[in-house]
Amino acid sequence: MLNQENILVFGELLLRFSSTEDQFISKNHTVSLFPGGSEANVSASLGQWNIPCAYVSCVPDNALANNALQALQELGVNTTKTVLQGSRLGLYFLLSANGLTSGEVVYDRKFSSFSSLTPGTIDWEKVLDGHTWFHWTALTPALSENMAAVCKEALIAARKKGLKISVDLNYRSRLWDYGKQPIDVMPELVEYCDVIMGNIWAANKMLGIPVDEKLDRQTSAEDYAIHANASAKAVFNRFPQCKHIANTFRFMDNPKHNLFYGTYHTPDNNYISSILETNEVVDRIGSGDAFMAGLIYGLTSSNDGQEIIDKATSSGYKKLFVKGDFGDGSI
């Protein structure tokens, strides 16, 4: 994977409202606003690393959406393939400052322009033209059956055109509320993927891969690596198209603390990153997305498995010190 890739990222552009205090609604009535969304966050990092990248979403044609898209454009992301229709952007509310306490999130994504997409709206043959890599996440099929169908038509088109396909198995229980569970939807979609990123618990929840329920915060990195190796082996056996798997391991003991490391797996080898730890977290949101972007960067620039996982982990860790959803290009 050392040729220069031209990456297309698909997902919902969101606006994040977060408290500047411990309570979202407070006597000072102050909140901060950031553009975001998992896929937009990945695009933002790739753009800052000068990796050719386009972002396709669906947003209303208004000044607010244009402003959010402009934020990505200024980071080097091509947003010209985004569909302009509908009447509202999706929102989410982070009820504590920077996700440093409860990190509780309230979503307001129903009836957004993106979540109202239906199969046939996007001409995937045309949109994918000129790209060599397609990235999507489990957040999109979590929104509705229609969105799961849109993902499938994109994946069929991407596979037909020979693109490499990556997925982030990010799980948000509050999004899966239309009568389907991830295990009902995700395996069929993941069959198209060459690269799978997530963690051992997401692989269990979404793909049915076994996980030991006794694993917890006290489990050592060495033991987690053994379980990650077994999980990856099971994924490779179940999804033969997949050739690259990465997992994050992230633990917090208090609002400012984060322990962060990752594992990377191929059918033949397993790697674990250095263990990174801080008590000076600025903003937790987007660290997994920065890891995903770093993984793509690593896979497009190196054949060295250790270098690949170290790059992804470093990118995810350094996002912890950047306010907002987007990283600042540190790796």
Side-chain angles (χ1 to χ4, degrees), residues 5-9 46 51-54 131-135 296 300:
E5 304 288 354
N6 195 322
I7 298 157
L8 183 74
V9 182
L46 295 174
I51 296 173
C53 172
H131 294 282
T132 58
W133 188 305
F134 178 70
H135 176 67
I296 293 174
T300 61

Side-chain angles (χ1 to χ4, degrees), residues 286-305:
S287 62
D289 306 321
F291 179 99
M292 182 73 240
L295 177 66
I296 293 174
Y297 187 11
L299 289 170
T300 61
S301 62
S302 177
N303 283 324
D304 185 319

